[in-house]
Amino acid sequence: MANLNINIGRLQLKNPVMTASGTFGYGTEYSDFMDLSRIGGIFVKGTTLRERQGNPYPRMAETPSGMLNAVGLQNKGVDYFINHIYPTVKDIDTNIIVNVSGSTVEDYVETAEKLNSLEKIPAIELNISCPNVKEGGMAFGTSCLSAAQVVSSVRRVYKNELIVKLSPNVTDISEIALAVEAEGADSVSLINTLLGMAINIERRKPVLSTITGGLSGPAVKPVALRMVWQVAKAVKIPVIGLGGIMNAADAIEFMLAGASAIQIGTANFIDPTVSIKVVDGINEYLDRHGFQSVTEIIGALEI
Amino acid sequence: MANLNINIGRLQLKNPVMTASGTFGYGTEYSDFMDLSRIGGIFVKGTTLRERQGNPYPRMAETPSGMLNAVGLQNKGVDYFINHIYPTVKDIDTNIIVNVSGSTVEDYVETAEKLNSLEKIPAIELNISCPNVKEGGMAFGTSCLSAAQVVSSVRRVYKNELIVKLSPNVTDISEIALAVEAEGADSVSLINTLLGMAINIERRKPVLSTITGGLSGPAVKPVALRMVWQVAKAVKIPVIGLGGIMNAADAIEFMLAGASAIQIGTANFIDPTVSIKVVDGINEYLDRHGFQSVTEIIGALEI
Amino acid sequence: MKKFILDLKIKENRKLSDQYSLIILTSTEKLPEILPGQFAEVRIDGSSTTFLRRPLSIHYVDYEQNELWLLIQVVGDGTKRLAALKAEDSLNVILPLGNSYTEPETKSAKALLVGGGCGVAPLLYLGAHLKRSGFEVTFLLGARSKRDLLQLCEYERFGTVYTTTEDGTHGEQGFVTQHSLLNGSNFDYIYTCGPTPMMKAVARYAAKTKANCEVSLENTMACGIGACLCCVTDTINGHVCVCTEGPVFNITRLKWQI
Amino acid sequence: MKKFILDLKIKENRKLSDQYSLIILTSTEKLPEILPGQFAEVRIDGSSTTFLRRPLSIHYVDYEQNELWLLIQVVGDGTKRLAALKAEDSLNVILPLGNSYTEPETKSAKALLVGGGCGVAPLLYLGAHLKRSGFEVTFLLGARSKRDLLQLCEYERFGTVYTTTEDGTHGEQGFVTQHSLLNGSNFDYIYTCGPTPMMKAVARYAAKTKANCEVSLENTMACGIGACLCCVTDTINGHVCVCTEGPVFNITRLKWQI
Ligand SMILES: Cc1cc2nc3c(=O)[nH]c(=O)nc-3n(C[C@H](O)[C@H](O)[C@H](O)COP(=O)(O)OP(=O)(O)OC[C@H]3O[C@@H](n4cnc5c(N)ncnc54)[C@H](O)[C@@H]3O)c2cc1C
Ligand SMILES: Cc1cc2nc3c(=O)[nH]c(=O)nc-3n(C[C@H](O)[C@H](O)[C@H](O)COP(=O)(O)OP(=O)(O)OC[C@H]3O[C@@H](n4cnc5c(N)ncnc54)[C@H](O)[C@@H]3O)c2cc1C
Ligand SMILES: Cc1cc2nc3c(=O)[nH]c(=O)nc-3n(C[C@H](O)[C@H](O)[C@H](O)COP(=O)(O)O)c2cc1C
Ligand SMILES: Cc1cc2nc3c(=O)[nH]c(=O)nc-3n(C[C@H](O)[C@H](O)[C@H](O)COP(=O)(O)O)c2cc1C
Ligand code: FES
Ligand code: FES
């Protein structure tokens, strides 16, 4: 039994396996199937300053080895989270991390500020793939300038661990990673979904109500892994890798590429217990290869 | 039987189904399996000014619903093509289009110039996903400036139909499309492969000799379709769509999104006769929906 | 209700017609409690084009035989794989999911269960429940043609069965909502499942006759357990998940134009 | 040689051991001409993780019975699906692909066929060819253990069979290249297929004894027909495709350090 503990900055994980925002509810949805305390952390749903109804139906399309979603950040807002959800999740014996989303820099800042005070929320994950409504809807995370802007503003008010989640829909993701590192991000997570589309040819209409949506699942894994490798080479802060992880082998690929921890998203839908299996599989791999600690495989790719 | 004829600028296609560069050899590799004259065109291998050995083995990795390749433009050079290959392909009764690749603007220009004189080559496709060796290896197609530069230079010497093949590894592909349109591209084709990576966890090494490689196949289809839709809205020149097309339904999605024609790549490996089936399937769809001509479905998506 | 991930064993996979199959599943352990209207998320193995699980209604549960029935209509590769499963194969399911149909409040209430196409699936188990609770149950089942009206004898165990077919090969010709039964009788509770246009027509009839009406909605689902928020429908309370707050909705909650 | 895409029918799928299966295929039409050393690209259906075809050597062709044999070693999901195919199932193959082993030029030549693991597959058909052409054939087959030495009687039909096993459960203990046969006899032509380290050792022995030596290379293939250029190996003529200029190479053409 190797040592699976890992630290992401000040965030202490019992193992590097966490679940991705928007794919694991508030964790409680999965408690019938697994012991939530066995994983390193849970990234809860995208949370915004005010309640959002999200996008109209249909919001989902299956694609080859993946899916498109257009949920559109449906959530009841940060105050509801604090008053009604936080009490039900704060005693889960793992890290509960809130994914913070917004439409303006001010939104992010206010939401982060409110979460600052919650004792059992050790970190937030800034989802900078949201459209910046003041800048014509371009996602914050697609330019160094707007990414830096939102991170520096949030950094000023948020004292705990600040994870910035990068958008993959960019020419050079390490450039964005460097920009947010410079503004005080404690770590970065990647990737969010790739922008995709599907068409119903019989009806000659887009499948999703929003025309385009976010692609996730194993289809994106090669792209995600490449980006994690590029970012891990570029920055000094820890990197959390995700995108298409279905099993322990996939998770280990991300760690070898330089991720200190990983998140599992879409795979939860196919096997709600997959995260536990990934913990066990990583442990088995470490033992088989004679590693004492999971830290030994981070970035251990031989080029 | 609907009318499948379509024109891409001055290029006349008997139907919108063509095969993608690097996946169909010079066409002759497939002649045992199908009648090459039944498809609209064949994009032959990436051709460079001088012979290239390509990358070392291993060059390929299977991925979920896709594959990574790192062939690295292995080819015998444009002179060999002109003297030895052109004579064997020029009488195939379909459009033979040469995919032109290079490491410097001069490479592209010289190669295009040489192909200009070949009577039976009605068009070239400029592959601007190649690394620009004079600019630190950034792909030409990842900045408007270098994309425009190579296109304008080639445009000056190349008189026939100039198709520019766009790289999907960018923040905003319509920006690049507009830039090459402005420099005189007659049409654009997209997408080339997405940059990806795979790791062999037992050996702790990248699977590909080049570490990263190009992702193709159905995994990328949602991204390709989204980009075709974005570009078709942005430019006035015709768009050729590709990326993960496996069957007629996929091809029709691209046409509804705005593509005037499509290319089939990786699918040829799984079914060497797939392009013929796509021609037949498009025809069946047009008949079933009462369309007289394939032109009626181009961009016919109802939003 | 506690949800389970179970590997059930196929006891029998009965081809009912060209398009329909009845899968009878069993388990070495006692099947959990399942309510009428609930569904399962079924993992599809060995399909190169199917990635997500597939939601399927619980057609029937026979606790004596420890059997769970699924009624499958083959529409794509996922359901095709299910129809091809053989006895002794195993099937991974997550269940029970979603809410359920609610029983009438007064014991004397007359219940009409209206199903069309594959939408008849949950009504069998619902009919069995209602009958056991002492209600008078009437089924009104519609299909395109006689061969799509499946296992009527099963429904007859729990109530009177009326049918319509579009081609007139069984029962009255036309759609369920055109059946003559609807002119005479008066029902207090109407439960329906099937194509949306049919359910809307049923809802209209219910509204007109002031019957209580519950419909079971379909939706595209990724998780089936309320985690992804992909399966919303618009209600008077805003967007709610069909997989947790449904699939059964009282029509008064929906924003249907009826 | 003309290539074909064929839907062959499984006549029998014989499990030879834990890991190995012998698939006997047949066709309603006469099988095309196939040379020893050639291979097929096989489509894998019903695997959610297998996207590309899989290259498999032609193990044997029996034109009298119109049978084509494939020897499968289960290593991943693709080969697992193949091993699970049942009689009457169909299998889509592209064949014949690649070049072939070349016959010795002099009729008196003594041929040694050295195989290890699944690399024994093409040697059966090669042995049959060589014997038919009048050459003296000797097989030297290596495996980890007795149970991995498959169907030796088939090889015995065409030549003398020597074996080695790593655990000594059959033939001499050790690797093929340690077999005592290699001390005494002298062979003019050595043909080999198996793991690269084994083939390199065989090539070394061949170089030492001045025997002509042909090896069959494995490689990651996408198309199998020379279209994608994914399957290169480095030769004295630069990068060449294993699927068209190979899989069989004379060692003098390779850049192996031997
Ligand atoms: C609560 C609920 C209960 C259902 N009960 C039954 C039942 O008892 N028996 C039955 O045969 N079918 C039932 N369905 C429908 C069934 O889920 C779909 O027919 C099935 O998912 C199609 O899968 P496929 O791979 O065969 O087809 P696909 O090739 O995936 O698609 C064929 C059609 O099915 C639709 N579809 C695809 N995926 C989903 C999905 N995840 N959710 C909903 N629709 C989808 C597509 O839009 C398409 O029109 C139910 C659906 C829901 C939501
Ligand atoms: C010319 C040639 C002839 C062959 N003949 C035989 C034979 O007669 N019998 C036999 O059992 N096997 C043979 N192989 C090997 C066989 O192709 C692989 O074992 C098979 O592709 C693995 O598929 P999988 O899905 O079971 O395993 P995967 O899960 O895909 O992979 C398991 C292992 O096989 C390797 N592999 C995967 N895909 C390929 C590929 N396309 N080409 C080569 N290796 C791959 C992987 O690197 C991995 O180590 C031959 C290979 C070549 C190139
Ligand atoms: C249904 C769904 C909802 C998602 N919601 C969010 C969200 O609210 N915030 C966020 O940062 N990412 C969200 N994501 C993205 C995932 O967290 C993850 O980055 C992405 O799905 C890639 O990982 P995967 O391939 O393992 O799913 C969502 C993804 C899915 C599939
Ligand atoms: C093995 C392989 C080699 C390729 N070589 C080239 C090339 O030389 N030039 C080029 O522009 N694109 C090349 N491509 C990209 C394809 O032409 C196509 O853009 C891409 O594969 C996406 O389409 P697909 O998903 O249908 O394969 C290659 C793709 C593959 C798989
Ligand atoms: S399907 Fe995921 S919330 Fe309903
Ligand atoms: S596998 Fe495509 S060229 Fe050899």
Side-chain angles (χ1 to χ4, degrees):
Chain A
M1 175 85 206
N3 182 353
L4 295 179
N5 295 350
I6 194 117
N7 291 351
I8 306 283
R10 291 161 293 165
L11 191 64
Q12 300 182 350
L13 310 180
K14 65 184 79 166
N15 62 57
V17 180
M18 304 184 278
T19 53
S21 175
T23 67
F24 207 69
Y26 294 106
T28 43
E29 290 84 349
Y30 286 83
S31 58
D32 276 354
F33 308 118
M34 59 179 268
D35 175 359
L36 297 171
S37 74
R38 283 213 49 212
I39 55 178
I42 297 171
F43 286 75
V44 304
K45 278 182 198 165
T47 300
T48 51
L49 187 57
R50 273 173 259 289
E51 173 166 6
R52 288 175 62 142
Q53 281 291 312
N55 295 316
Y57 167 84
R59 292 180 172 183
M60 194 274 281
E62 194 182 44
T63 69
S65 297
M67 60 177 278
L68 289 164
N69 89 78
V71 171
L73 298 173
Q74 177 176 335
N75 78 105
K76 294 201 191 287
V78 66
D79 290 331
Y80 185 92
F81 174 81
I82 293 171
N83 297 320
H84 297 98
I85 299 169
Y86 177 64
T88 70
V89 299
K90 73 178 179 31
D91 296 325
I92 300 175
D93 180 20
T94 188
N95 292 294
I96 307 288
I97 298 159
V98 179
N99 179 273
V100 172
S101 305
S103 309
T104 62
V105 172
E106 296 73 37
D107 279 5
Y108 282 101
V109 171
E110 257 188 83
T111 310
E113 221 166 358
K114 289 181 186 234
L115 293 166
N116 215 0
S117 57
L118 299 183
E119 194 195 340
K120 294 289 184 60
I121 304 292
I124 60 171
E125 180 181 53
L126 273 199
N127 170 13
I128 60 170
S129 295
C130 310
N132 183 343
V133 294
K134 292 198 181 153
E135 302 278 344
M138 266 245 317
F140 289 96
T142 56
S143 94
C144 289
L145 199 69
S146 59
Q149 202 189 349
V150 59
V151 172
S152 78
S153 305
V154 170
R155 179 73 293 178
R156 243 169 273 137
V157 302
Y158 189 72
K159 305 299 168 216
N160 296 318
E161 190 72 9
L162 178 61
I163 305 166
V164 179
K165 184 169 182 181
L166 305 179
S167 162
N169 301 301
V170 295
T171 307
D172 183 358
I173 196 162
S174 24
E175 199 180 270
I176 314 277
L178 286 166
V180 305
E181 179 181 44
E183 299 299 337
D186 294 313
S187 56
V188 286
S189 58
L190 64 152
I191 60 171
N192 212 314
T193 53
L194 278 167
L195 200 58
M197 181 172 174
I199 292 175
N200 179 327
I201 65 164
E202 297 305 323
R203 303 176 55 228
R204 291 198 291 283
K205 292 201 157 140
V207 178
L208 301 175
S209 66
T210 48
I211 308 176
T212 61
L215 182 66
S216 64
V220 310
K221 198 195 79 177
V223 174
L225 190 65
R226 180 262 296 180
M227 290 185 166
V228 164
W229 180 71
Q230 289 178 324
V231 168
K233 279 193 308 177
V235 298
K236 293 193 189 60
I237 51 180
V239 174
I240 300 172
L242 73 154
I245 296 176
M246 294 296 282
N247 50 44
D250 294 340
I252 293 163
E253 282 192 72
F254 278 87
M255 297 196 69
L256 291 172
S260 297
I262 58 97
Q263 296 177 27
I264 297 179
T266 306
N268 293 303
F269 305 152
I270 289 124
D271 179 1
T273 66
V274 61
S275 50
I276 304 272
K277 290 176 188 160
V278 171
V279 174
D280 293 341
I282 292 175
N283 188 50
E284 184 274 326
Y285 174 87
L286 295 173
D287 285 352
R288 187 156 47 81
H289 286 264
F291 293 111
Q292 307 297 310
S293 159
V294 71
T295 55
E296 294 170 47
I297 66 168
I298 299 169
L301 187 70
E302 294 168 18
I303 303 290
Chain B
M1 176 86 205
N3 182 354
L4 295 178
N5 294 349
I6 195 117
N7 292 349
I8 305 283
R10 290 162 291 166
L11 191 63
Q12 301 183 348
L13 309 179
K14 63 184 81 164
N15 62 57
V17 180
M18 303 184 278
T19 53
S21 176
T23 68
F24 206 69
Y26 294 105
T28 43
E29 290 84 350
Y30 286 83
S31 58
D32 276 354
F33 307 119
M34 60 179 267
D35 176 359
L36 297 172
S37 74
R38 284 213 48 213
I39 55 176
I42 296 171
F43 286 76
V44 304
K45 279 184 196 162
T47 301
T48 51
L49 188 57
R50 273 173 258 287
E51 174 165 5
R52 288 175 62 143
Q53 282 290 312
N55 295 317
Y57 169 84
R59 292 182 174 184
M60 196 275 282
E62 195 182 42
T63 68
S65 297
M67 60 176 278
L68 290 165
N69 89 77
V71 170
L73 297 172
Q74 177 176 336
N75 78 104
K76 294 202 190 289
V78 66
D79 291 331
Y80 187 92
F81 174 81
I82 292 172
N83 297 321
H84 296 97
I85 299 170
Y86 177 65
T88 69
V89 298
K90 75 179 178 33
D91 296 326
I92 300 175
D93 181 20
T94 188
N95 292 294
I96 306 290
I97 297 160
V98 179
N99 179 275
V100 172
S101 304
S103 309
T104 63
V105 173
E106 296 72 37
D107 279 5
Y108 282 100
V109 171
E110 255 187 86
T111 310
E113 220 165 358
K114 289 181 186 234
L115 293 166
N116 214 358
S117 57
L118 299 182
E119 195 195 342
K120 294 290 185 58
I121 303 292
I124 60 172
E125 180 182 52
L126 273 199
N127 170 13
I128 60 171
S129 295
C130 311
N132 183 343
V133 294
K134 292 200 180 150
E135 303 279 343
M138 266 245 316
F140 287 96
T142 56
S143 94
C144 289
L145 199 71
S146 59
Q149 201 188 349
V150 59
V151 173
S152 79
S153 305
V154 170
R155 179 73 290 178
R156 243 170 272 137
V157 302
Y158 188 72
K159 306 300 168 218
N160 295 318
E161 190 71 11
L162 177 60
I163 305 166
V164 178
K165 185 169 183 181
L166 305 178
S167 163
N169 301 301
V170 294
T171 308
D172 182 357
I173 195 162
S174 23
E175 199 180 88
I176 314 276
L178 286 167
V180 304
E181 179 181 43
E183 298 299 339
D186 294 312
S187 56
V188 286
S189 58
L190 64 150
I191 60 172
N192 212 314
T193 53
L194 279 167
L195 201 59
M197 181 172 172
I199 292 175
N200 179 326
I201 65 165
E202 297 306 321
R203 303 176 55 227
R204 289 198 291 285
K205 292 202 157 141
V207 177
L208 300 176
S209 66
T210 47
I211 308 177
T212 61
L215 182 66
S216 64
V220 310
K221 197 195 79 176
V223 174
L225 190 66
R226 180 262 298 180
M227 290 186 165
V228 164
W229 181 71
Q230 290 178 322
V231 168
K233 279 193 307 177
V235 299
K236 293 192 189 62
I237 52 179
V239 173
I240 301 171
L242 73 153
I245 295 176
M246 294 296 282
N247 50 44
D250 294 340
I252 294 162
E253 281 191 73
F254 278 87
M255 296 196 71
L256 292 171
S260 297
I262 58 98
Q263 296 177 27
I264 297 180
T266 307
N268 294 302
F269 305 153
I270 289 123
D271 179 1
T273 66
V274 61
S275 49
I276 305 272
K277 289 176 187 160
V278 171
V279 174
D280 293 341
I282 292 176
N283 188 49
E284 184 273 325
Y285 174 87
L286 295 173
D287 285 351
R288 186 156 48 80
H289 286 263
F291 292 113
Q292 307 297 309
S293 159
V294 70
T295 54
E296 294 170 45
I297 66 168
I298 299 169
L301 188 69
E302 294 169 18
I303 302 290
Chain C
M1 284 172 77
K2 187 169 155 65
K3 304 178 193 79
F4 300 85
I5 307 177
L6 301 172
D7 279 309
L8 299 181
K9 204 176 74 184
I10 314 261
K11 199 161 164 181
E12 192 188 334
N13 194 347
R14 201 184 297 162
K15 204 173 159 66
L16 300 179
S17 77
D18 262 18
Q19 265 192 50
Y20 288 92
S21 290
L22 175 72
I23 300 186
I24 301 181
L25 297 156
T26 189
S27 170
T28 46
E29 281 163 51
K30 202 172 155 340
L31 289 167
E33 194 199 343
I34 301 175
L35 301 174
Q38 290 192 300
F39 67 99
E41 278 278 3
V42 174
R43 199 180 68 206
I44 311 288
D45 297 328
S47 163
S48 56
T49 53
T50 309
F51 174 61
L52 297 165
R53 286 175 181 261
R54 293 292 185 259
L56 295 168
S57 303
I58 305 298
H59 183 36
Y60 189 67
V61 190
D62 182 335
Y63 286 103
E64 275 164 41
Q65 307 288 328
N66 206 39
E67 283 178 2
L68 187 149
W69 297 10
L70 300 174
L71 182 68
I72 312 290
Q73 180 181 16
V74 175
V75 298
D77 201 53
T79 44
K80 191 169 136 195
R81 296 278 154 188
L82 292 174
L85 289 172
K86 301 213 160 41
E88 300 299 313
D89 284 349
S90 100
L91 188 69
N92 186 278
V93 300
I94 306 179
L95 57 72
L97 301 177
N99 67 354
S100 64
Y101 290 105
T102 48
E103 284 196 3
E105 278 161 22
T106 52
K107 277 293 158 192
S108 60
K110 284 166 65 184
L112 176 66
L113 283 58
V114 189
C118 205
V120 300
L123 300 184
L124 181 63
Y125 191 45
L126 172 62
H129 256 254
L130 292 175
K131 180 177 179 187
R132 195 175 330 129
S133 301
F135 296 101
E136 189 188 318
V137 173
T138 305
F139 292 101
L140 175 52
L141 308 177
R144 218 164 297 168
S145 182
K146 184 179 170 177
R147 77 187 121 68
D148 302 320
L149 280 170
L150 308 161
Q151 300 202 291
L152 293 182
C153 55
E154 296 290 347
Y155 297 88
E156 280 159 2
R157 288 163 55 199
F158 309 117
T160 321
V161 177
Y162 297 89
T163 63
T164 61
T165 51
E166 290 174 37
D167 63 1
T169 47
H170 196 284
E172 295 187 10
Q173 183 160 10
F175 297 112
V176 276
T177 42
Q178 298 167 332
H179 197 281
S180 57
L181 171 73
L182 300 186
N183 302 328
S185 325
N186 237 336
F187 297 95
D188 308 295
Y189 274 79
I190 302 182
Y191 304 96
T192 182
C193 183
T196 308
M198 182 207 88
M199 293 199 291
K200 287 196 173 163
V202 172
R204 251 191 307 275
Y205 170 80
K208 208 178 63 191
T209 62
K210 302 208 165 36
N212 212 318
C213 181
E214 290 184 345
V215 302
S216 176
L217 299 185
E218 284 212 8
N219 206 299
T220 46
M221 296 186 176
C223 74
I225 61 171
C228 74
L229 307 188
C230 283
C231 66
V232 291
T233 199
D234 205 15
T235 69
I236 53 172
N237 319 105
H239 283 150
V240 305
C241 286
V242 171
C243 75
T244 48
E245 303 208 22
V248 178
F249 289 89
N250 196 300
I251 54 165
T252 56
R253 241 192 118 189
L254 298 176
K255 284 179 150 176
W256 282 4
Q257 310 288 346
I258 50 175
Chain D
M1 281 171 81
K2 187 169 155 63
K3 304 178 194 79
F4 300 85
I5 308 177
L6 302 172
D7 279 309
L8 300 180
K9 204 177 71 184
I10 312 262
K11 198 162 166 181
E12 191 186 337
N13 195 347
R14 199 184 297 163
K15 204 173 157 68
L16 301 178
S17 77
D18 263 18
Q19 265 192 49
Y20 288 93
S21 290
L22 175 71
I23 301 186
I24 301 181
L25 296 157
T26 188
S27 170
T28 46
E29 281 163 51
K30 202 174 157 336
L31 289 167
E33 194 198 343
I34 301 175
L35 300 174
Q38 290 191 300
F39 67 99
E41 278 279 3
V42 174
R43 199 180 69 206
I44 311 287
D45 296 328
S47 162
S48 56
T49 53
T50 308
F51 175 60
L52 297 165
R53 286 176 181 261
R54 294 292 186 256
L56 294 168
S57 303
I58 305 299
H59 183 36
Y60 190 66
V61 190
D62 183 335
Y63 285 103
E64 275 164 40
Q65 307 289 328
N66 207 40
E67 284 179 1
L68 188 149
W69 297 11
L70 300 174
L71 183 68
I72 313 288
Q73 179 181 17
V74 175
V75 298
D77 202 53
T79 45
K80 191 169 135 195
R81 296 279 153 187
L82 292 174
L85 289 172
K86 301 212 160 42
E88 300 301 313
D89 284 350
S90 99
L91 187 68
N92 186 278
V93 301
I94 306 179
L95 57 72
L97 302 177
N99 67 355
S100 64
Y101 289 106
T102 48
E103 284 196 3
E105 279 161 23
T106 52
K107 278 292 158 191
S108 61
K110 284 167 66 186
L112 176 67
L113 283 57
V114 189
C118 205
V120 301
L123 301 184
L124 181 63
Y125 192 44
L126 172 62
H129 256 254
L130 292 174
K131 181 175 177 190
R132 193 170 337 125
S133 301
F135 295 102
E136 189 187 316
V137 173
T138 305
F139 292 100
L140 175 54
L141 308 177
R144 218 165 296 168
S145 181
K146 184 180 170 177
R147 79 186 120 68
D148 302 319
L149 279 170
L150 307 162
Q151 300 203 291
L152 293 181
C153 55
E154 295 290 347
Y155 296 88
E156 281 159 3
R157 288 163 56 199
F158 309 117
T160 320
V161 177
Y162 296 89
T163 64
T164 61
T165 50
E166 290 175 37
D167 63 2
T169 46
H170 197 284
E172 294 187 12
Q173 181 158 13
F175 297 111
V176 276
T177 41
Q178 297 166 332
H179 197 282
S180 58
L181 171 73
L182 300 186
N183 302 328
S185 325
N186 236 334
F187 297 94
D188 307 296
Y189 272 79
I190 302 183
Y191 303 96
T192 181
C193 184
T196 307
M198 182 206 89
M199 292 200 291
K200 286 196 173 162
V202 172
R204 251 191 308 276
Y205 170 80
K208 208 178 63 192
T209 61
K210 303 209 163 41
N212 212 318
C213 181
E214 290 184 344
V215 303
S216 177
L217 299 186
E218 283 212 8
N219 206 297
T220 47
M221 295 185 178
C223 73
I225 61 171
C228 74
L229 307 188
C230 284
C231 65
V232 290
T233 199
D234 206 15
T235 69
I236 52 172
N237 320 106
H239 282 150
V240 303
C241 285
V242 171
C243 74
T244 48
E245 302 206 24
V248 178
F249 289 90
N250 195 300
I251 53 165
T252 56
R253 241 193 118 187
L254 299 176
K255 283 177 149 179
W256 282 4
Q257 312 287 349
I258 50 177

